[in-house]
Amino acid sequence: MTALYRKYRPQDFDEVVGQEAVVRTLRNAISSGQIRQAYLFAGPRGTGKTSMARILAKGLNCVQGPTATPCKVCNACVTIASGTSLDVIEMDAASQRGIDDIREIRERVVLQPVEGRHKVYILDEAHQLTDAAFNALLKLIEEPPPHLVFVFCTTDLAKMLPTVRSRCQTFVFSRPRLPELVRLLRRVADEEGIDAPDAALSLIARSARGSFRDAVSTLDQLTSATEGQVSVQAVLQLLGAVEEEALF
């Protein structure tokens, strides 16, 4: 079975929660044809940076696009969502951080996209790239082939080289508000047939500290532990917390 946080990742801009400014800017950029060669998505873990990068890639490569409302059913959209697209390459900069990995990118970017209009490179935890790797990328970021788009995702914006940041359009992802997290958990619970009162979902949302992924993962764990009957007491036991009344 697919983990709930993967099953309920946003698949288009309409499903993104809590990042209205980022969504509005990217929608307008796609609609007006003002796509930049490099984007930098920064923010705490679990706030949707990689998901937003995939949605951007869908908008650029959808058979109906470029479009701010990708169809989600064409081959390009389906393969991007599943992580199997040949035109959207996701790299973990924590493990592929050296100059040899960047040289490999530089050799491949000259190739035209296989199916879509753009080749999109998504580099997760980009701040862990070495300085030499970043310097090898600089010229490519500044003057890329017209079909190439970079999306750097990072949880530590301060560690990104200023020379790289100056060449990217930067978006800072904020932590979602508590009511937004609770609404998301309620939607997941209703669609999965999970019996969970609002008080239990509120406790789960608080424990996630602004991470969509942590909140949905905790709900997933509780569902397995309680066979779909998530109570306030079950949440408190899992989190090792106490009720507010007892604490006061």
Side-chain angles (χ1 to χ4, degrees), residues 1-4 192-195 204 216-231 234 238:
M1 293 178 63
T2 305
L4 289 184
E192 291 295 314
I194 301 169
D195 182 13
I204 294 171
V216 179
S217 293
T218 302
L219 177 62
D220 198 0
Q221 184 177 350
L222 279 161
T223 303
S224 300
T226 62
E227 297 182 347
Q229 305 290 320
V230 179
S231 65
L238 177 70

Side-chain angles (χ1 to χ4, degrees), residues 124-190:
D124 207 7
E125 296 300 331
H127 62 274
Q128 297 200 39
L129 286 175
T130 63
D131 287 355
F134 268 132
N135 289 329
L137 268 181
L138 281 180
K139 189 67 174 176
L140 193 57
I141 298 172
E142 191 167 31
E143 297 177 5
H147 61 266
L148 183 64
V149 176
F150 279 105
V151 182
F152 299 100
C153 302
T154 178
T155 53
D156 196 339
L157 184 59
K159 289 185 179 178
M160 294 293 293
L161 286 185
T163 48
V164 175
R165 290 178 59 178
S166 67
R167 290 164 169 81
C168 298
Q169 194 169 91
T170 302
F171 295 91
V172 178
F173 285 60
S174 56
R175 296 181 189 273
R177 295 177 290 275
L178 184 64
E180 293 172 335
L181 265 178
V182 173
R183 281 198 299 273
L184 173 68
L185 290 173
R186 171 53 61 198
R187 180 169 70 86
V188 174
D190 290 345

